[in-house]
Amino acid sequence: MPRTTRRITLTGIIAGLVGALCAGPMALGMTPTSPSTPTASPTVTASPSPAAPPPATPTPGIATPEPAPSAGAPTPSPEPIEDDHDHETDGPTEPLTRELPPGSPSLEPLSPTSGMSTMRLTVPAYGPQPVFRLPYAPSRRWGVSGSHSDSDGINRGAIDFAPLSSSDKRVLAVASGMVYRVTCGSGWFLGVDHGGGWMSEYYHLTSARSSLVGTWVEAGTPLGNAGQTLPCGGTPGSSAHVHLSILNSAVDVPSGKRKYVAVSGIQFDTFTLRDSSGAYNGSWRNLAGNTVLTSRGVTCCLTASSRVGPAPAAGTAPDTDGDGIDDHTDATVWDTDLDSNGRPDLVAFGSDGVYTSSGTGTGFTSASRATTAFGSATGWSRSHPRMTVDVTGDGRPDVVAFGPAGVYVAAGSSGSFATARVWVASFGTNRGWRVGTHQRTVVDVTGDGRPDVVGFGPQGVFVSRNTGSSFAAPTLWTDTMGSSAAAGGWVESRHPRRVVDVTGDGLPDLVGFGDDGVHVARNTGGGFADPVRWVASFGTAKGWTVGQTPRHVTDIDGDGRPDIVGFGPQGIWVSLNTGSNFAVPRLWSSQFRSSASGAWRADRNARTLADVNGDGRLDVVGFAGSGTLVALGRGSSFAAASSWTAQFDSREWTRGWMPRSVTDVNGDGRADVVGFARDGVQIALSTGSRFRAATHATRSYGWDASSGAWRVARHVRAVAF
């Protein structure tokens, strides 16, 4: 069935071309480096080019590139190219009509009684700026201008990108979204609706792909080739290029105008444009703020990022879900909703203390230091698990940390933390407790509503009851599941244990993955009974190992009882909880198979469970080399995996550098993706059937020096709820 569209006519008379934009060419302050020899790439050959009106007398808007090299010949170094664009605009000049897919912006009067000739382009939900890429292929070097205006727009919202001597002239979508058509009396061109009111439009394309109209495309999808076409008027320039415009429809604009966003300050890939006086002027800067190109006209060159991240960090702790919190610390269920408003906030353990940022639903506020304690510069490391969980009972998460002298607590208070103090002088490294050997977690095992400390020590399992203002002295609740031979030889690096209610009586039990299967020690209210094997699977004797074959204890079929879910070499195995044992495992999916050299390597491809479509059942979310895949939970199996976004892939988002969490950040019941990127935090909201275009949530907490130089091995960052 053909996709329906809604036409939106932008009325009004175009006042004319933008005049007297600049006084003269700007001297260049740098000499470009020579590009590497380009590899020939096919140009886009799709639907016919948009119709063009009879050409106007051209005034050069783009300087002529050097001749393309013959096959095998070395590529000459492009020289800086200058042009005087006075009295010119190379954007469309005819009245335009957008054909937008359902759910896109619509026009309505600003005020029926105001008498003002203004209109509002309305959107169902306004969002932050998308993460924009450069509109050409990775590793390619294209010429780029400073900003300039469109004839029917407000602000200098356009940039020219020219392939110059590059053999690859494909123009790519700068972010994911829905493709739409912009028509005029003589022709048409393409735009992409990224959601939240943000749009990008691409003028001068040849071989523009009209077949994409009404479809969702990922960032990097070819839309056509750089050209000089004039389907809706304007000036052609003297060489092939794309006139890229950025718009935001969630603002008031004069009737007949379009709201072009001033592109000065917008980041494309790893570069940011900063305007100077006059159109087509400006400087491009890298993430550190250093000027890498001074533009005037179209000036050579910027190289598009290869989208491949740094090499994986060696020697990091196991982190099978890729959230940057090692699996040992993940045994405690975190809570980062610091202000108790139903949305998770961001908590980060930095070098000089703990930083927090409040969640807004679509982003995070600026980083604020909440306490000077628990920083890596004062000796806190992966050897000292730190987490946020409410242990004081006031509804606000506190910092709980296992330090040398015992368990420290810093009470939370809406984004800040009180002075840390020792709640119990046990479970610390000075008493012999070690990560990888002695598991420690914080969970309410007494049923009084206050989380207690549970430690798996040499002699067995110890519990320190929570009094509300301290943890009582530890008592031995069972002499099994400990690290000594007498206690069974359970070691955290080989035998993960969880504290979760699997019997349904409201008291958390011990669930241990031993050599010969899964054992359960029932909680009696004041101790743990002797362990009983509930299923002879998922044990180390059958090849299941920490870090390579993840195993979860969670309710996967929606009956309220936690089950066993394991990512094995054959796929995803599930043992359902009957209330008194775990049933024989069934293969719910043959995808997401764990292997040392296959598609889902534990040291590269993270997998997690979260409800991303809001139906109340957990789904599988996997970060593959091609993007983020989702297999929806059906209650008795998982559906075939499908791509929900090409973003957050494991090639760029490498383990040990760029963690990703899957949690509901806007409170709509659907889990979203939160990623700690090179340049800060990015969020991709779930629609229930895909993840939207990623947006910048905050410029802090990234691994680049300009974003704080955060490192997974030293600095724990969390968004959890």
Side-chain angles (χ1 to χ4, degrees), residues 21-36:
L21 293 178
C22 51
M26 178 179 179
L28 297 175
M30 53 89 70
T31 301
T33 57
S34 300
S36 58

Side-chain angles (χ1 to χ4, degrees), residues 123-164:
V123 294
Y126 171 69
Q129 177 205 311
V131 176
F132 290 128
R133 297 185 180 183
L134 290 172
Y136 46 94
S139 303
R140 298 296 180 181
R141 301 178 74 241
W142 281 33
V144 59
S145 74
S147 68
H148 51 287
S149 299
D150 285 76
S151 61
D152 67 338
I154 304 171
N155 292 328
R156 284 158 52 178
I159 307 172
D160 288 339
F161 292 94
L164 300 180

Side-chain angles (χ1 to χ4, degrees), residues 44-179:
V44 173
T45 55
S47 52
S49 301
T57 303
T59 300
I62 300 290
T64 305
E66 298 188 16
S70 59
T75 304
S77 300
E79 293 298 323
I81 297 173
E82 299 183 44
D83 248 314
D84 187 352
H85 290 72
D86 288 354
H87 311 286
E88 292 301 334
T89 174
D90 68 335
T93 58
E94 297 182 13
L96 303 174
T97 299
R98 281 199 190 86
E99 297 178 3
L100 298 176
S104 293
S106 59
L107 274 173
E108 64 178 22
L110 177 62
S111 173
T113 60
S114 67
M116 299 174 61
S117 59
T118 55
M119 304 288 282
R120 174 182 285 119
L121 278 165
T122 63
V123 294
Y126 171 69
Q129 177 205 311
V131 176
F132 290 128
R133 297 185 180 183
L134 290 172
Y136 46 94
S139 303
R140 298 296 180 181
R141 301 178 74 241
W142 281 33
V144 59
S145 74
S147 68
H148 51 287
S149 299
D150 285 76
S151 61
D152 67 338
I154 304 171
N155 292 328
R156 284 158 52 178
I159 307 172
D160 288 339
F161 292 94
L164 300 180
S165 60
S166 173
S167 61
D168 188 348
K169 303 186 185 304
R170 295 174 300 165
V171 174
L172 313 180
V174 295
S176 60
M178 191 76 73
V179 179

Side-chain angles (χ1 to χ4, degrees), residues 335-629:
D335 180 5
T336 66
D337 182 12
L338 304 179
D339 50 11
S340 303
N341 66 354
R343 292 192 301 259
D345 306 301
L346 192 155
V347 177
F349 293 86
S351 298
D352 57 351
V354 182
Y355 287 80
T356 63
S357 291
S358 297
T360 64
T362 56
F364 296 101
T365 59
S366 299
S368 174
R369 189 164 63 174
T371 177
T372 58
F374 308 111
S376 60
T378 56
W380 291 85
S381 69
R382 289 285 185 173
S383 299
H384 311 112
R386 294 155 289 172
M387 57 208 66
T388 53
V389 59
D390 178 20
V391 294
T392 58
D394 62 358
R396 293 189 292 263
D398 314 297
V399 175
V400 180
F402 293 88
V407 184
Y408 294 74
V409 171
S413 177
S414 298
S416 64
F417 298 104
T419 302
R421 63 185 184 85
V422 177
W423 270 34
V424 64
S426 188
F427 305 104
T429 54
N430 61 357
R431 297 287 183 94
W433 293 78
R434 298 288 183 269
V435 169
T437 301
H438 310 116
Q439 189 168 321
R440 290 157 287 178
T441 187
V442 181
V443 61
D444 177 19
V445 294
T446 60
D448 63 358
R450 295 190 296 253
D452 313 294
V453 176
V454 180
F456 296 82
Q459 297 83 20
V461 182
F462 292 84
V463 171
S464 279
R465 292 174 180 264
N466 186 342
T467 69
S469 58
S470 66
F471 294 119
T475 59
L476 187 67
W477 274 38
T478 179
D479 58 2
T480 61
M481 288 195 180
S483 59
S484 68
W490 293 73
V491 179
E492 186 179 22
S493 59
R494 296 184 64 241
H495 310 114
R497 284 145 290 175
R498 297 293 180 261
V499 186
V500 60
D501 178 19
V502 293
T503 59
D505 62 0
L507 295 175
D509 313 294
L510 304 183
V511 182
F513 294 89
D515 291 327
D516 59 349
V518 183
H519 296 252
V520 171
R522 191 184 191 105
N523 187 339
T524 65
F528 295 112
D530 290 339
V532 176
R533 189 172 67 178
W534 273 34
V535 66
S537 297
F538 304 104
T540 57
K542 294 196 175 178
W544 293 83
T545 61
V546 170
Q548 296 299 322
T549 50
R551 290 155 287 179
H552 302 268
V553 184
T554 188
D555 180 16
I556 202 66
D557 62 352
D559 66 354
R561 295 190 298 250
D563 313 294
I564 305 296
V565 181
F567 292 84
Q570 297 82 28
I572 306 174
W573 294 92
V574 173
S575 282
L576 296 179
N577 185 344
T578 69
S580 58
N581 61 28
F582 294 117
V584 175
R586 290 181 51 246
L587 190 66
W588 275 34
S589 173
S590 60
Q591 298 179 295
F592 302 100
R593 295 188 296 269
S594 295
S595 65
S597 59
W600 294 95
R601 289 172 42 183
D603 62 346
R604 183 180 63 192
N605 307 113
R607 289 150 292 175
T608 191
L609 298 167
D611 180 12
V612 296
N613 65 347
D615 65 354
R617 293 191 293 260
L618 293 178
D619 313 299
V620 181
V621 181
F623 299 102
S626 59
T628 305
L629 304 183

Side-chain angles (χ1 to χ4, degrees), residues 298-321:
V298 172
T299 308
C300 187
C301 287
L302 295 179
T303 302
S305 168
S306 66
R307 318 309 302 183
V308 176
T316 56
D319 178 19
T320 50
D321 60 2

